[in-house]
Amino acid sequence: MNEKSARASHPAENLGPNAGLIGRPGSRATLDTPALVLDLDALERNIAAMAAHARAAGVALRPHAKTHKSAEIARRQVAAGAIGISCVTLGEAEVMVHAGIPGVHITSPQVTKPKIARLMALNRNSPLGLSVAVDNPENLQALSEASSSSGKRLRVMIDFSAGHNRTGCATPADALALARASREAAFIEISGIQSYSGQLQHVAIRAERRARVLEQAEILRGLVRDLEREGIAVPVVSGGGTGSFDLDPEARVFTELQVGSYVFMDVDYLRAMKDGRNAPPFETSLFVQTAVVSVNAREYVTTDAGLKCFATDGPLPEPALGAPPGSRYEFFGDEHGKLFVPPGSARPGLGAHIECVTPHCDPTVNLHDFYHVVRGDTLVDIWSIEARGKR
Amino acid sequence: MNEKSARASHPAENLGPNAGLIGRPGSRATLDTPALVLDLDALERNIAAMAAHARAAGVALRPHAKTHKSAEIARRQVAAGAIGISCVTLGEAEVMVHAGIPGVHITSPQVTKPKIARLMALNRNSPLGLSVAVDNPENLQALSEASSSSGKRLRVMIDFSAGHNRTGCATPADALALARASREAAFIEISGIQSYSGQLQHVAIRAERRARVLEQAEILRGLVRDLEREGIAVPVVSGGGTGSFDLDPEARVFTELQVGSYVFMDVDYLRAMKDGRNAPPFETSLFVQTAVVSVNAREYVTTDAGLKCFATDGPLPEPALGAPPGSRYEFFGDEHGKLFVPPGSARPGLGAHIECVTPHCDPTVNLHDFYHVVRGDTLVDIWSIEARGKR
């Protein structure tokens, strides 16, 4: 979708205080702050690079919407060849299905009564495909009963934990037993298996990351073999992440990758993936723009982006555009930050605009209502983050 | 406002997946999770206790809306006697003014061109009073010019940093100079001075906190004396916080307190204020309700509230209702948590609902769209968090 048609899809009153700046040359430097800024050229290159990688490696993509929570970005991923979109929450899946995104898969088991009721409603209204992870026989039974009542079959992926132990069956034997039960369950259809090795995504040394990815793949391959030996087809093996995007295909077990962060490349991932010889073919596209609002402290200037603008579970934001090289950023309460410049550098003045690379992109995005989409120095569009806060 | 009238003020479609449960006995235990839960009895007691304290101490209250971001809670604070509401962002102030809240004060300088334009628009439409902090002569000049153009006087509070050094004049001499300039500035009216000692709010030992509060107050009193000596009236001295609510009046310099967290009492504040002899007259009213979604790990059960449901800048959430005593909580990615129960305790089963005390309340609230308002075990209302994400 080009900028014009995307813009036309939103009513103007919902795009926040910067709506009037769309299309004005040089407007990036004058945003009402704090503002989440998305470099469209970089985003497009990241989406294209991952699509090319997947084609060359012979794997499909089902990118994770938990990273961007945006139907517009999902549409662009699908347009570049993704077979569907992964979601961690049911609320994200509702947004994606209603936006017409095909092949939506919910990576987290949906267990409680209210969630199962919403899942059934969504499944009835998903002409383009919906599946959900399952990791427990009791949950399988509840899903089967609800699907039977609703009259529409539900597609499930057997969730295998692979050492991460967040969700998923703990052992291949448990996964096999759950798959057998799923085959027998009324109104349940097995679409494949899912396995997310979250613990491997940020292993800093590439050689170590590779060894562990291949080791996990061997276990997963054994599970697939066991399932097929029982006549349970496994057309889909879904997993992987941005941190292992180039290793997962080598393992030759995943049919599709649930990569997420590659669209933005936050401080965290850039550090984890840069081990010198192997710079990733992705670049930073996401920033928070902040302005200097007080200059009375000796050691730093005070900016207007704090704990409520940046994720605080990872590294600190990294100053970029507008900040002298070598500057650093600290949080200073809910709505403020400290920008320290290196000795000898001029401090940005009152009202100056600075951009920072986001620390952990997913929870940072979840703090904002809009992407301020820029090409070079111009704001070209504003995209709602429709699935922000949706559970 | 009672539950009925508050409910009537919201269109039903905007209250999220739990709207249908309002008024059903026992509904608290069956919320669609994760959900921010507000214990209305506790909230009302907290609001009443702070109001009684202020009356007895002879200080006014201008409670901070950055904590709750809710017009409904602000209305209740005003109904209990607060003379106005403090906001840190202009976006919060816009929500409060439009909701008819009187005496809105913006505690953070508004510096950039877009913010000054919005501030002028808000000031023109604030029949019930608006003021803003100022800490810089250049900013004062810009505000004066904009106010002159808009044709309505702007009320400012001279912001004095008092050692916190986030915003505010660095020295009493600077504050005095800025007050002189403000007196001369066209379309500017000095409503008082503001001084927030953020660095003192979490000093753990009460005696030390007291000594430092009194020391800061002495400096502030000197500033007030200097201003009055020049004929600059200081009808308002605004500052303080929940951590020093009982010490600030003793300092006999503040005319009003900008207390915020007392309405909710998060893990952070409860720990900081409990020094044995001096338990605060406030209680926890705010929780996040989460459900168990996976039970396959040996050491813990997996819940559905993670980094996108809780602030991560402070302590961890503390398990309460539904969790065995001595349980502890950890984050497990964007949308999941780990609940550990003590040896010998029964683990909550699949689908069980647990509530946790929020770690740092302000940024936790900012992650949610609604308060699920309960009395005892019944959901009695849902309040929108209208100023969430508003800058």
Side-chain angles (χ1 to χ4, degrees):
Chain A
M1 186 175 282
N2 63 25
E3 283 102 71
K4 202 169 165 206
S5 62
R7 192 155 63 247
S9 71
H10 306 297
E13 64 269 30
N14 288 335
L15 297 182
N18 288 302
L21 297 177
I22 295 174
R24 281 204 209 163
S27 45
R28 177 177 185 171
T30 64
L31 295 179
D32 194 348
T33 55
L36 190 65
V37 170
L38 179 57
D39 180 326
L40 188 51
D41 293 326
L43 175 77
E44 288 174 349
R45 286 193 292 265
N46 288 342
I47 290 175
M50 185 62 93
H53 163 73
R55 269 194 305 274
V59 293
L61 293 179
R62 202 185 302 267
H64 221 308
K66 82 191 185 77
T67 303
H68 54 68
K69 288 180 171 273
S70 153
E72 177 60 31
I73 296 178
R75 270 192 285 270
R76 286 163 182 262
Q77 290 172 318
V78 170
I83 60 168
I85 291 292
S86 300
C87 298
V88 61
T89 70
L90 179 56
E92 291 167 359
E94 288 168 340
V95 167
M96 295 299 149
V97 166
H98 295 152
I101 302 298
V104 172
H105 170 61
I106 304 168
T107 61
S108 176
Q110 300 303 307
V111 169
T112 62
K113 278 183 188 170
K115 285 283 188 285
I116 291 177
R118 282 168 59 192
L119 178 65
M120 294 302 129
L122 187 64
N123 192 42
R124 280 194 301 274
N125 295 296
S126 297
L128 304 177
L130 180 72
S131 58
V132 64
V134 63
D135 79 352
N136 180 286
E138 191 185 321
N139 181 221
L140 173 71
Q141 181 63 25
L143 293 176
S144 172
E145 285 167 17
S147 300
S148 301
S149 299
S150 88
K152 183 168 178 194
R153 295 172 72 81
L154 179 70
R155 307 180 80 210
V156 301
M157 284 199 205
I158 306 298
D159 189 5
F160 173 61
S161 135
H164 191 217
N165 302 338
R166 184 160 67 194
T167 65
C169 298
T171 66
D174 289 349
L176 189 62
L178 188 64
R180 284 187 193 123
S182 301
R183 183 174 50 183
E184 304 306 322
F187 282 80
I188 295 291
E189 180 185 324
I190 303 174
S191 66
I193 63 178
Q194 160 190 295
S195 181
Y196 178 59
S197 298
Q199 77 282 16
L200 306 186
Q201 294 304 308
H202 295 263
V203 171
I205 311 295
R206 187 173 191 276
E208 191 190 331
R209 207 158 68 231
R210 179 172 179 274
R212 294 183 58 188
V213 164
L214 295 179
E215 183 188 325
Q216 289 295 337
E218 198 47 49
I219 298 169
L220 198 52
R221 210 184 337 271
L223 172 59
V224 173
R225 213 181 294 124
D226 290 347
L227 287 163
E228 290 178 338
R229 204 172 280 156
E230 300 220 5
I232 299 174
V234 187
V236 169
V237 182
S238 191
T242 296
S244 56
F245 83 102
D246 55 342
L247 303 170
D248 293 321
E250 182 185 347
R252 305 192 72 80
V253 61
F254 290 115
T255 64
E256 60 178 48
L257 306 184
Q258 293 179 5
V259 286
S261 302
Y262 76 99
V263 288
F264 298 144
M265 295 307 287
D266 57 24
V267 171
D268 227 13
Y269 261 111
L270 280 175
R271 282 193 198 154
M273 293 179 73
K274 271 184 192 159
D275 54 8
R277 295 153 304 152
N278 198 62
F282 310 115
E283 58 194 292
T284 300
S285 66
L286 191 71
F287 305 88
V288 169
Q289 187 175 121
T290 176
V292 175
V293 294
S294 188
V295 294
N296 296 338
R298 232 191 330 229
E299 303 82 6
Y300 49 81
V301 294
T302 301
T303 58
D304 65 359
L307 302 176
K308 287 178 180 169
C309 264
F310 291 107
T312 59
D313 64 306
L316 289 166
E318 280 192 1
L321 195 70
S327 297
R328 64 188 177 81
Y329 201 91
E330 285 181 10
F331 301 124
F332 205 176
D334 285 8
E335 302 288 0
H336 295 94
K338 296 178 186 181
L339 182 77
F340 296 85
V341 307
S345 295
R347 290 162 32 135
L350 195 68
H353 293 240
I354 304 296
E355 290 184 5
C356 293
V357 180
T358 60
H360 181 183
C361 56
D362 305 30
T364 298
V365 167
N366 192 50
L367 294 166
H368 295 264
D369 290 329
F370 306 109
Y371 293 107
H372 296 86
V373 183
V374 300
R375 284 210 197 265
D377 65 358
T378 299
L379 179 72
V380 295
D381 209 346
I382 297 176
W383 297 342
S384 285
I385 303 174
E386 302 97 331
R388 183 211 55 72
K390 296 287 186 293
R391 282 87 190 228
Chain B
M1 189 176 281
N2 64 26
E3 282 99 75
K4 203 170 163 206
S5 62
R7 192 155 62 248
S9 71
H10 306 296
E13 65 269 30
N14 288 336
L15 296 183
N18 288 302
L21 297 178
I22 295 173
R24 281 204 210 163
S27 45
R28 178 177 185 170
T30 65
L31 294 180
D32 193 348
T33 55
L36 190 65
V37 170
L38 179 57
D39 180 325
L40 189 50
D41 293 327
L43 175 77
E44 289 173 348
R45 286 191 292 266
N46 289 341
I47 290 175
M50 185 63 91
H53 163 73
R55 270 193 305 275
V59 292
L61 293 178
R62 200 184 304 266
H64 221 308
K66 83 190 186 80
T67 302
H68 54 67
K69 288 178 171 278
S70 154
E72 178 60 30
I73 296 177
R75 272 191 284 271
R76 287 163 182 262
Q77 290 173 317
V78 170
I83 58 166
I85 290 291
S86 301
C87 297
V88 62
T89 71
L90 179 56
E92 291 167 0
E94 287 168 341
V95 167
M96 294 300 150
V97 167
H98 295 151
I101 302 298
V104 172
H105 170 62
I106 305 167
T107 62
S108 176
Q110 301 302 307
V111 169
T112 63
K113 277 183 188 167
K115 286 281 190 285
I116 292 176
R118 283 168 59 194
L119 178 65
M120 292 304 128
L122 188 64
N123 192 42
R124 279 193 300 272
N125 295 295
S126 297
L128 304 176
L130 180 72
S131 57
V132 64
V134 63
D135 78 352
N136 179 287
E138 191 185 322
N139 181 222
L140 172 72
Q141 181 62 23
L143 294 175
S144 173
E145 285 167 16
S147 299
S148 301
S149 299
S150 88
K152 184 170 177 190
R153 294 172 72 81
L154 179 71
R155 305 179 79 210
V156 301
M157 285 199 204
I158 307 297
D159 189 5
F160 173 61
S161 136
H164 191 218
N165 302 339
R166 184 161 66 194
T167 66
C169 299
T171 65
D174 289 348
L176 188 62
L178 188 64
R180 284 184 194 129
S182 300
R183 182 173 52 182
E184 304 307 320
F187 282 81
I188 295 293
E189 179 184 326
I190 301 173
S191 67
I193 64 179
Q194 161 190 294
S195 180
Y196 178 59
S197 298
Q199 77 281 17
L200 306 185
Q201 294 304 308
H202 295 264
V203 171
I205 311 296
R206 187 174 191 277
E208 191 191 330
R209 208 158 66 229
R210 177 170 180 278
R212 293 184 56 190
V213 164
L214 296 179
E215 183 188 326
Q216 288 297 335
E218 198 47 49
I219 298 169
L220 197 53
R221 209 183 339 271
L223 172 59
V224 173
R225 212 180 298 124
D226 290 346
L227 287 164
E228 291 178 340
R229 204 171 282 156
E230 300 220 4
I232 299 174
V234 187
V236 169
V237 182
S238 190
T242 296
S244 56
F245 83 100
D246 55 342
L247 304 170
D248 294 320
E250 181 184 347
R252 308 191 71 78
V253 61
F254 290 115
T255 63
E256 60 178 46
L257 305 184
Q258 293 179 5
V259 286
S261 302
Y262 76 98
V263 288
F264 298 143
M265 293 308 285
D266 57 24
V267 170
D268 226 15
Y269 261 112
L270 280 174
R271 282 195 198 153
M273 291 178 74
K274 270 183 191 161
D275 54 7
R277 295 153 303 154
N278 197 61
F282 311 114
E283 58 194 292
T284 300
S285 65
L286 190 72
F287 306 88
V288 170
Q289 188 176 121
T290 176
V292 176
V293 295
S294 187
V295 294
N296 296 339
R298 233 191 328 235
E299 302 82 5
Y300 49 83
V301 294
T302 301
T303 58
D304 65 0
L307 302 176
K308 288 179 180 168
C309 264
F310 290 108
T312 59
D313 64 305
L316 289 166
E318 280 192 2
L321 194 69
S327 297
R328 63 188 177 82
Y329 201 90
E330 286 181 10
F331 301 124
F332 205 175
D334 285 8
E335 302 288 1
H336 295 95
K338 295 178 185 179
L339 181 77
F340 296 85
V341 307
S345 294
R347 288 160 36 131
L350 195 69
H353 292 239
I354 304 296
E355 291 183 5
C356 292
V357 180
T358 61
H360 181 183
C361 57
D362 304 30
T364 298
V365 166
N366 191 50
L367 294 167
H368 294 263
D369 289 329
F370 307 108
Y371 293 107
H372 295 87
V373 183
V374 300
R375 284 208 196 267
D377 66 358
T378 299
L379 179 71
V380 296
D381 208 347
I382 297 177
W383 298 342
S384 286
I385 304 175
E386 302 98 331
R388 184 212 54 74
K390 295 286 187 291
R391 282 87 189 233

